Amino acid sequence: MSMTSSLPPLTNRQRLVAHARALFAERGFEGVSVDEIAAAAGLTKGAVYYQFKDKTDLFRAACEAVLADVRDRVETASMGHSAHHLDEIVIGGDRLYDAYDAPDARRLLLVDGLTVLGVDGWIALQEPVGVGLIAHALSHLADERLIEPDVVPALAHLLFGAFVQGALRIAASSDPQAAGVEVRRATRTLTQALLSGAGAPLKETQWLPLP
Amino acid sequence: MSMTSSLPPLTNRQRLVAHARALFAERGFEGVSVDEIAAAAGLTKGAVYYQFKDKTDLFRAACEAVLADVRDRVETASMGHSAHHLDEIVIGGDRLYDAYDAPDARRLLLVDGLTVLGVDGWIALQEPVGVGLIAHALSHLADERLIEPDVVPALAHLLFGAFVQGALRIAASSDPQAAGVEVRRATRTLTQALLSGAGAPLKETQWLPLP
DNA sequence: ATGAGGATCATACCATGAGTATGACGTCAA
DNA sequence: TTGACGTCATACTCATGGTATGATCCTCAT
């Protein structure tokens, strides 16, 4: 069904990334050998190590390819739907779950990415897209004084973590359909709570002193 | 400082787990060889593969050892502090961050665990402790009708994901001290919003139809 | 044209490490 | 004593990441 538009006919580097993406999505980073990826692209290991520094570098390139698709899906889908600023955090959230429904996004970005790229690499990868989209939505809540503006970066990161676990919970469920609505409901409970402006007062040290 | 109470003098299996835990915490699952772990325990590879099925099995045992300590730290610390039921979600949250401050908890449970054990294994590992504690706290909110009872399991999982990313954000920061208070503040914004009872009304499909 | 030089990739090779097979050593019961 | 079993060491295989080096092709100046 996919139009397989090969204009121009794809450079070898792109073909390596494409096959790496497919194989990594199927059997994970450790489950696929470099020779196998090269063979799938009709090449050998020499081509891989000329184009990429090491196996991790190839994995990173595959991650960025997946992430580009995720960004496209989320942005185009949320385009025109946000009647009000405040809706986009719940609408965009559903689109995020849709995007993370793809096997390659799950395996590369959510499962293997953290271990392979390390904590810093993982955060650097997710910041522009996943975290960034949430931060953008939260900034509108901060404009309306529903939350404090200076908690937006960290809060976006936390919410992104919630989305990650939500996607994994759906993936691990024996009934992904039912788990999908369950997780989306729980996510709305979370975002709805933010939208109510309950985070605004925040009398410092009302609960416990911060160390 | 740790009392190193060796009574009885530790079986070889326990010593393997202990050294595996330390080495995995230092250089990760892929960064440590089985021979190295065996040598650190004064043994050889044969002992490892007699006691454990494979390297992953040893890693799982190390994870459970770390997790036992996490549970102890969180439970004993939150013991007697929760004047009201509703406090424990924010108090216990701070204790969770404290527990995930340890290098072994970070590396084994938060970074390597997901990839090594797989999604199902990882969830099965975290469910009894991390997710379970949050679910317990949330159940009290459900008793007070602050949230719907049937969203508790999924919501606990989501909040646990937020804690995971919070801990990772602290770990990756160049100033963990400052990042610690930043993340804890953001976490309280989240939990405080739940405590306000904003999740209760939840008019179905007010925003979007669930698929 | 032609040869120099670089870009791109294949081939051969090495080192490491997970997993297996098998044997050695002990203990204990009969 | 001996035989069975639990525990571990040793020796081996095999897959794989990475490197070194050589082959091929394209480009371009002379």
Side-chain angles (χ1 to χ4, degrees):
Chain A
M1 286 305 170
S2 59
M3 283 251 309
T4 73
S5 68
S6 47
L7 318 168
L10 285 182
T11 166
N12 279 348
R13 190 177 217 271
Q14 297 172 306
R15 301 178 55 238
L16 284 173
V17 171
H19 286 95
R21 171 178 173 168
L23 289 172
F24 283 150
E26 205 175 318
R27 306 201 301 274
F29 181 79
E30 298 292 330
V32 181
S33 70
V34 175
D35 300 87
E36 196 174 356
I37 298 174
L43 301 172
T44 67
K45 197 160 46 176
V48 174
Y49 282 93
Y50 174 77
Q51 301 280 357
F52 303 94
K53 179 174 162 290
D54 51 15
K55 190 183 178 185
T56 298
D57 194 30
L58 172 57
F59 178 81
R60 186 190 338 268
C63 279
E64 287 165 357
V66 175
L67 229 146
D69 287 5
V70 170
R71 172 168 40 201
D72 288 352
R73 288 191 57 173
V74 175
E75 287 184 348
T76 66
S78 63
M79 218 46 107
H81 273 288
S82 60
H84 209 299
H85 292 305
L86 306 183
D87 299 11
E88 67 186 356
I89 192 174
V90 49
I91 293 182
D94 270 333
R95 296 310 154 213
L96 248 187
Y97 280 132
D98 292 341
Y100 285 136
D101 217 18
D104 46 5
R106 275 215 257 265
R107 189 73 195 240
L108 297 199
L109 301 181
L110 303 185
V111 178
D112 288 350
L114 181 57
T115 303
V116 175
L117 303 178
V119 179
D120 302 293
W122 153 268
I123 294 181
L125 190 75
Q126 308 282 357
E127 196 83 38
V129 182
V131 181
L133 289 172
I134 301 176
H136 177 75
L138 287 183
S139 70
H140 292 159
L141 302 191
D143 292 342
E144 309 277 346
R145 286 292 155 187
L146 291 174
I147 58 176
E148 290 193 357
D150 46 315
V151 308
V152 167
L155 185 54
H157 200 157
L158 295 186
L159 278 178
F160 177 72
F163 276 101
V164 170
Q165 287 305 310
L168 291 179
R169 183 180 177 92
I170 296 174
S173 170
S174 58
D175 186 353
Q177 190 74 24
V181 312
E182 183 198 27
V183 166
R184 282 174 159 89
R185 276 177 55 93
T187 304
R188 293 188 184 186
T189 303
L190 217 51
T191 54
Q192 196 122 352
L194 264 342
L195 285 173
S196 72
L202 194 59
K203 297 186 200 168
E204 187 66 38
T205 69
Q206 172 180 356
W207 301 96
L208 267 188
L210 290 170
Chain B
M1 286 308 166
S2 61
M3 283 253 308
T4 74
S5 67
S6 48
L7 317 169
L10 286 181
T11 168
N12 278 349
R13 189 176 217 273
Q14 298 173 305
R15 303 179 53 237
L16 284 173
V17 171
H19 286 94
R21 170 177 175 169
L23 289 173
F24 283 150
E26 204 175 319
R27 304 200 304 273
F29 181 78
E30 298 293 330
V32 181
S33 71
V34 175
D35 299 86
E36 196 175 356
I37 297 174
L43 302 171
T44 67
K45 196 157 47 175
V48 174
Y49 283 93
Y50 174 77
Q51 301 280 356
F52 303 93
K53 178 174 163 289
D54 50 14
K55 191 183 178 186
T56 298
D57 193 30
L58 172 58
F59 178 82
R60 184 188 343 265
C63 279
E64 287 165 358
V66 174
L67 224 135
D69 287 5
V70 170
R71 172 167 41 203
D72 288 352
R73 290 190 55 173
V74 175
E75 286 184 348
T76 64
S78 63
M79 219 48 109
H81 273 286
S82 60
H84 210 299
H85 292 304
L86 307 182
D87 299 11
E88 68 186 357
I89 192 174
V90 48
I91 294 182
D94 271 332
R95 298 305 155 218
L96 249 188
Y97 280 131
D98 292 341
Y100 285 137
D101 218 18
D104 45 5
R106 275 215 258 265
R107 190 76 196 237
L108 297 198
L109 301 181
L110 304 185
V111 178
D112 288 350
L114 181 57
T115 303
V116 175
L117 303 178
V119 179
D120 302 292
W122 196 73
I123 294 182
L125 189 76
Q126 308 282 358
E127 197 82 38
V129 183
V131 181
L133 289 173
I134 301 176
H136 177 75
L138 287 182
S139 70
H140 291 160
L141 302 191
D143 291 341
E144 308 279 345
R145 287 291 155 187
L146 292 173
I147 57 175
E148 290 193 357
D150 46 315
V151 310
V152 166
L155 185 55
H157 200 157
L158 295 186
L159 279 178
F160 177 73
F163 276 101
V164 170
Q165 287 304 312
L168 291 180
R169 184 181 176 89
I170 296 174
S173 170
S174 59
D175 186 353
Q177 190 75 23
V181 313
E182 183 199 26
V183 166
R184 283 174 158 90
R185 275 177 55 94
T187 304
R188 291 188 185 186
T189 303
L190 216 51
T191 53
Q192 196 123 353
L194 264 344
L195 285 174
S196 72
L202 194 59
K203 296 187 200 167
E204 187 66 38
T205 67
Q206 172 181 355
W207 301 97
L208 268 190
L210 288 170

